[in-house]
Amino acid sequence: MPTQEKQKSSQLISGFEPYVASKGEEYMGKPMRAHFTKILNKWKHDLMQEVDRTVDHMKDEAANFPDPADRASQEEEFSLELRARDRERKLIKKIDKTLQLIEDEDYGWCESCGIEIGLRRLEARPTADLCIDCKTLAEIKEKQVGK
């Protein structure tokens, strides 16, 4: 499958078409904000469904295995699932924060320097709050501090 078709297919699977700005359209006007609200709400809905599936799975699979190795395997599996859900819980909070930014009409602008983050970056990472330059700089500083 050609790259363009794969890209279009994966975007349709994730439930959105890339936003096409009309000529002269204001950055983060009402249609753009509606586009990102839709993306974020779908993402949040998908994460919430995953949480429900995990709870159901853990209830269904919970067993008291007599073999310690089986019990340890199950506990490790549950531990990994819970760790993933915790990351998703934090992501849901970030999505909620981003939805509030959209509602307040503060979405799409870099928190550090104030310039436009850009449509494609926001579609790739809808919760981004830094432009690519500020994010790159922050990562460089983080690496230097970590050494």
Side-chain angles (χ1 to χ4, degrees):
M1 180 184 290
T3 307
Q4 224 173 15
E5 284 180 40
K6 278 184 185 177
Q7 209 173 24
K8 188 170 184 174
S9 166
S10 71
Q11 289 166 344
L12 292 175
I13 291 169
S14 63
F16 77 94
E17 288 282 335
Y19 188 83
V20 180
S22 11
K23 188 173 182 169
E25 181 178 351
E26 176 190 3
Y27 180 73
M28 279 306 143
K30 196 172 183 174
M32 278 186 208
R33 289 194 313 269
H35 172 73
F36 286 106
T37 299
K38 181 180 171 187
I39 291 172
L40 288 160
N41 280 325
K42 180 176 180 348
W43 193 11
K44 181 178 175 180
H45 179 262
D46 292 347
L47 290 170
M48 297 299 284
Q49 282 184 323
E50 193 60 36
V51 167
D52 293 342
R53 264 194 298 273
T54 298
V55 170
D56 292 340
H57 169 72
M58 290 179 80
K59 284 180 185 174
D60 294 344
E61 296 296 318
N64 194 3
F65 293 110
D67 181 23
D70 290 340
R71 192 168 38 248
S73 292
Q74 182 184 47
E75 287 176 10
E76 181 64 21
E77 177 190 336
F78 285 177
S79 174
L80 290 171
E81 281 190 50
L82 289 172
R83 203 172 318 148
R85 294 303 85 75
D86 188 50
R87 281 194 307 270
E88 289 170 354
R89 180 186 55 81
K90 290 175 185 172
L91 182 54
I92 289 170
K93 281 184 180 179
K94 193 165 186 178
I95 290 170
D96 286 338
K97 176 187 167 207
T98 304
L99 287 167
Q100 186 60 51
L101 285 173
I102 292 173
E103 194 174 305
D104 296 343
E105 298 185 12
D106 289 332
Y107 180 69
W109 306 96
C110 178
E111 286 184 355
S112 181
C113 68
I115 68 166
E116 296 177 3
I117 292 175
L119 287 176
R120 298 304 160 238
R121 173 158 167 70
L122 289 171
E123 284 182 336
R125 186 70 178 168
T127 56
D129 51 10
L130 296 174
C131 68
I132 194 69
D133 293 335
C134 289
K135 182 63 177 174
T136 302
L137 188 59
E139 288 174 356
I140 291 169
K141 286 179 182 177
E142 188 178 303
K143 283 181 185 176
Q144 289 174 344
V145 171
K147 287 184 178 179

